[in-house]
Amino acid sequence: MMAESEFEIIRRYFTPHGPRRDDVLAGVGDDAAIVRVPPDRDLVLCMDTLVAGVHFPVATEPAAIGHKALAVNLSDLAAMGAEPAWATLALTLPESDGAWLERFSRGFLELAERYRLQLIGGDLSRGPLSITVEAHGFVVPGKAMRRRGARPGDLVCVTGSLGDAGLALELGEQAPARLRRRLEYPEPRIAAGLVLREHASAAIDVSDGLLADLAHLLEPDGLGAALQIDALPRSPEFTAALPAGPRGDALSLDLPLSGGDDYELCFCLPQGLQAPVAALLGAVSCALTPVGVIEAQPGIRCYYPDGRRYSPRATGYQHFGHEGR
Amino acid sequence: MMAESEFEIIRRYFTPHGPRRDDVLAGVGDDAAIVRVPPDRDLVLCMDTLVAGVHFPVATEPAAIGHKALAVNLSDLAAMGAEPAWATLALTLPESDGAWLERFSRGFLELAERYRLQLIGGDLSRGPLSITVEAHGFVVPGKAMRRRGARPGDLVCVTGSLGDAGLALELGEQAPARLRRRLEYPEPRIAAGLVLREHASAAIDVSDGLLADLAHLLEPDGLGAALQIDALPRSPEFTAALPAGPRGDALSLDLPLSGGDDYELCFCLPQGLQAPVAALLGAVSCALTPVGVIEAQPGIRCYYPDGRRYSPRATGYQHFGHEGR
């Protein structure tokens, strides 16, 4: 719907690049795409929008926008334990800007390449800058991880480290390159999701902050959790970049609990599985850290090592009330 | 990603309504939806965006926006001969407005109901008003209609009538209600598409105007077409609402050829199939009108009944040059 140039833009920046899959019978260029889902797989679908000025500053490097628009969707597939297959892209642009499109498409397609994901269709429109992606993946029937399913006594675990993206946002231009990379080029935990779907009782990706996303996982089952705040995994870059003094002390707790945009997985493991699952995740270069335990009593309670309660100051993009706020 | 209220909005306006399908294993409310494609079907996917102020005036009735956001996608499924199954919806809104959402969701879900289509997921964001929908449908493998496939000598046909939406846009507030309805509540030609996929050699939906969309169908095969302008199907409402004088004379040709937003199907039929296919379409209350013939020479040529050439003044949202402009 972008006058003359829509087809030319797609042909120039998107179609010639990226993986080609045998299960795509018709990709970009017809009224719709035609694809084939393997007969022994269910299809997993998710859709997320990034709006300029809301989810990212307008001046963000276009390659980072392209990467992130796909990554946030692949993170949802990872949280289900799905294997990525295809994506569609709706790109709304104020004007046709070749240099911007070249960098945006490079960011998008480099990530697609890494997961053998094919861009099969979409739409280009004129309007305020906004990107909507739908990602499509496969799961073995009955094997998808869900938000529901945790049981009291299960360990609450997270992959990787928390708070890096939040600290990059907090520090702005002063943020070290490795923290900025965590914010701008989040790496979806696809390989970890494929491992975890055989073992985890429930899972969600951490997009809005641990407390908010864990609440989404607990709420449908009416469960709660006790978290040990000293156990929250922080990266060396995070610890090194924290400001000195009380502000740094506060951020060192607030960001791992409530900072968004980390795109790690939060998942629950039945007792006894921690060591074997940590070994399996280690094989895909992913750390596992237990941070708490599922409890029957609703709400999330945070504890210092000495057993005192800690009351989080902020809870991220939170949809449900919970105790301790 | 709309702070506190995203889940509440979805729960209130979208989740409790609309069809429920057995092939949806997980719908709205997890990280992603899980669905099952029948083993003897391929999956057809399309995605279209409507931007306020670009594709519709901001003050458009919200029910019409909801209807049209889904209808333009179902029209793409119709052009492939696909049977609708599911949709995802990315809705970006400047603010959470209950009255607007109630009417938008009603327009969207009433159309979904008619085609037994289930809303299985999506995203709500804050930002300039914009709607992206992905529609998912099924086809028997090898049976989808494509843009490619027409042969010289095939009849070029269209469903229904052309120019109604264009005239409604042209007349603005003065447009009669039935023409306005064609613009604001387009009816996707799903039933016609299911009939045509057994017989048509190629098909496309008419969203940008007949000349522009027919060019998309011809260009990949390097073909052309001769159109008889007196054959273009015009509705009684169209003819009655045309202004008198030279402006009306010009519009009576320009709009059926180049007006967008009609969402009829343009398709090609091998010679001899016109009568039987017209009978099959009649059974689903859809008119078939032959408007021309496919030719080996590239370009679209328009003719008056006396054989003189007519040169169209405008060609709609056209992506490819063609002769006669």
Side-chain angles (χ1 to χ4, degrees):
Chain A
M1 296 196 173
M2 201 185 218
E4 272 70 11
S5 55
E6 174 175 355
F7 276 25
E8 282 72 13
I9 288 172
I10 293 168
R11 284 183 178 166
R12 180 152 173 194
Y13 298 107
F14 291 101
T15 312
H17 310 291
R20 289 280 169 280
R21 296 175 57 101
D22 291 341
D23 51 18
V24 177
L25 310 176
V28 173
D30 215 306
D31 290 291
I34 310 173
V35 292
R36 188 164 290 169
V37 177
D40 55 350
R41 291 291 184 275
D42 285 339
L43 183 66
V44 178
L45 308 172
C46 56
M47 181 186 249
D48 256 314
T49 299
L50 300 183
V51 180
V54 177
H55 299 107
F56 60 89
V58 176
T60 302
E61 160 59 38
I65 301 171
H67 175 103
K68 194 160 181 174
L70 179 55
V72 299
N73 281 284
L74 293 186
S75 180
D76 282 324
L77 291 189
M80 308 291 283
E83 173 195 350
W86 318 299
T88 48
L89 165 67
L91 176 56
T92 301
L93 280 177
E95 57 185 353
S96 173
D97 175 338
W100 193 96
L101 278 162
E102 194 281 326
R103 289 152 82 179
F104 175 88
S105 63
R106 183 158 41 81
F108 186 97
L109 292 171
E110 279 182 4
L111 183 61
E113 183 82 51
R114 216 168 319 149
Y115 294 104
R116 230 172 60 74
L117 174 142
Q118 185 170 341
L119 180 66
I120 56 171
D123 193 24
L124 275 170
S125 305
R126 273 194 206 283
L129 179 59
S130 163
I131 305 104
T132 296
V133 170
E134 174 148 322
H136 312 75
F138 305 143
V139 283
V140 175
K143 285 287 191 182
M145 289 189 286
R146 307 293 297 272
R147 293 183 179 181
R148 298 191 71 149
R151 296 281 192 91
D154 285 357
L155 287 177
V156 178
C157 304
V158 293
T159 59
S161 59
L162 295 175
D164 293 335
L167 187 53
L169 205 59
E170 181 80 19
L171 298 178
E173 294 294 312
Q174 270 66 56
R178 293 188 63 162
L179 288 184
R180 287 193 72 79
R181 194 160 176 86
R182 286 274 292 168
L183 175 65
E184 297 187 340
Y185 293 88
E187 199 55 48
R189 290 291 191 184
I190 293 291
L194 295 176
V195 166
L196 290 172
R197 76 177 180 194
E198 305 292 332
H199 307 287
S201 53
I204 191 169
D205 72 321
V206 182
S207 53
D208 296 338
L210 178 63
L211 291 177
D213 290 311
L214 178 57
H216 295 330
L217 183 151
L218 298 169
E219 189 265 358
D221 285 326
L223 295 172
L227 299 185
Q228 301 298 326
I229 56 172
D230 65 321
L232 296 167
R234 298 166 183 90
S235 69
E237 298 80 31
F238 177 91
T239 306
L242 273 180
R247 180 167 161 244
D249 294 343
L251 290 176
S252 81
L253 289 178
D254 289 348
L255 293 176
L257 284 171
S258 309
D261 275 350
D262 282 322
Y263 298 101
E264 298 291 354
L265 299 182
C266 170
F267 57 98
C268 301
L269 279 185
Q271 295 276 358
L273 289 185
Q274 179 187 341
V277 171
L280 291 167
L281 285 184
V284 295
S285 305
C286 177
L288 174 159
T289 306
V291 296
V293 65
I294 298 290
E295 297 182 336
Q297 186 194 345
I300 300 176
R301 292 157 289 280
C302 298
Y303 296 95
Y304 288 104
D306 63 6
R308 279 181 303 130
R309 282 282 291 276
Y310 168 75
S311 290
R313 301 191 307 166
T315 50
Y317 280 89
Q318 178 206 333
H319 307 269
F320 302 103
H322 60 77
E323 213 212 336
R325 189 184 180 180
Chain B
M1 295 197 177
M2 200 183 217
E4 272 71 10
S5 54
E6 174 174 355
F7 276 26
E8 283 71 13
I9 288 173
I10 293 168
R11 284 183 178 164
R12 181 154 172 193
Y13 299 107
F14 292 100
T15 312
H17 310 291
R20 289 277 170 282
R21 297 174 57 100
D22 291 342
D23 52 18
V24 177
L25 309 176
V28 174
D30 215 305
D31 289 291
I34 310 173
V35 291
R36 188 164 291 169
V37 177
D40 55 351
R41 291 291 184 275
D42 285 338
L43 183 66
V44 178
L45 309 172
C46 56
M47 180 186 248
D48 256 315
T49 300
L50 300 183
V51 180
V54 177
H55 300 106
F56 60 88
V58 176
T60 302
E61 161 59 39
I65 302 172
H67 175 102
K68 194 160 181 173
L70 180 56
V72 299
N73 281 283
L74 293 186
S75 180
D76 282 324
L77 291 189
M80 307 291 283
E83 174 195 349
W86 319 299
T88 48
L89 165 67
L91 177 55
T92 301
L93 279 176
E95 56 185 353
S96 173
D97 173 341
W100 192 96
L101 278 162
E102 194 280 328
R103 290 152 81 181
F104 175 88
S105 63
R106 182 158 42 79
F108 186 98
L109 292 170
E110 279 182 3
L111 182 60
E113 183 82 51
R114 218 168 319 146
Y115 294 102
R116 233 173 57 74
L117 173 143
Q118 184 170 340
L119 179 66
I120 55 171
D123 193 25
L124 275 170
S125 305
R126 272 194 208 283
L129 180 58
S130 164
I131 305 104
T132 296
V133 171
E134 175 149 321
H136 312 74
F138 305 144
V139 283
V140 175
K143 286 287 191 184
M145 288 189 287
R146 307 292 298 273
R147 293 183 179 181
R148 298 190 72 149
R151 296 281 190 93
D154 285 358
L155 286 175
V156 178
C157 304
V158 294
T159 59
S161 59
L162 295 175
D164 293 336
L167 187 53
L169 206 57
E170 181 80 18
L171 299 177
E173 294 294 313
Q174 271 66 54
R178 293 189 62 164
L179 288 184
R180 287 193 69 80
R181 198 164 170 83
R182 285 275 290 168
L183 175 65
E184 296 189 339
Y185 294 88
E187 199 54 49
R189 289 292 191 183
I190 293 292
L194 295 175
V195 167
L196 290 172
R197 76 176 180 195
E198 305 292 333
H199 307 286
S201 53
I204 190 168
D205 71 323
V206 183
S207 55
D208 295 338
L210 178 62
L211 291 178
D213 290 312
L214 178 57
H216 296 331
L217 184 151
L218 298 170
E219 189 266 357
D221 285 327
L223 294 172
L227 299 185
Q228 300 298 327
I229 57 173
D230 65 320
L232 296 167
R234 299 167 181 87
S235 69
E237 298 80 32
F238 177 89
T239 306
L242 273 180
R247 180 168 161 244
D249 294 342
L251 290 175
S252 81
L253 289 177
D254 289 349
L255 293 175
L257 284 171
S258 309
D261 275 350
D262 282 321
Y263 298 100
E264 298 290 354
L265 299 183
C266 171
F267 57 98
C268 301
L269 279 185
Q271 296 276 358
L273 290 185
Q274 179 187 341
V277 171
L280 291 166
L281 285 184
V284 296
S285 304
C286 178
L288 174 160
T289 306
V291 296
V293 65
I294 298 289
E295 297 182 336
Q297 185 195 346
I300 301 177
R301 292 158 289 279
C302 298
Y303 296 95
Y304 288 104
D306 62 8
R308 278 182 302 129
R309 283 282 292 275
Y310 169 75
S311 290
R313 301 191 308 165
T315 49
Y317 279 89
Q318 178 205 334
H319 306 270
F320 302 102
H322 61 76
E323 215 212 334
R325 193 188 176 179

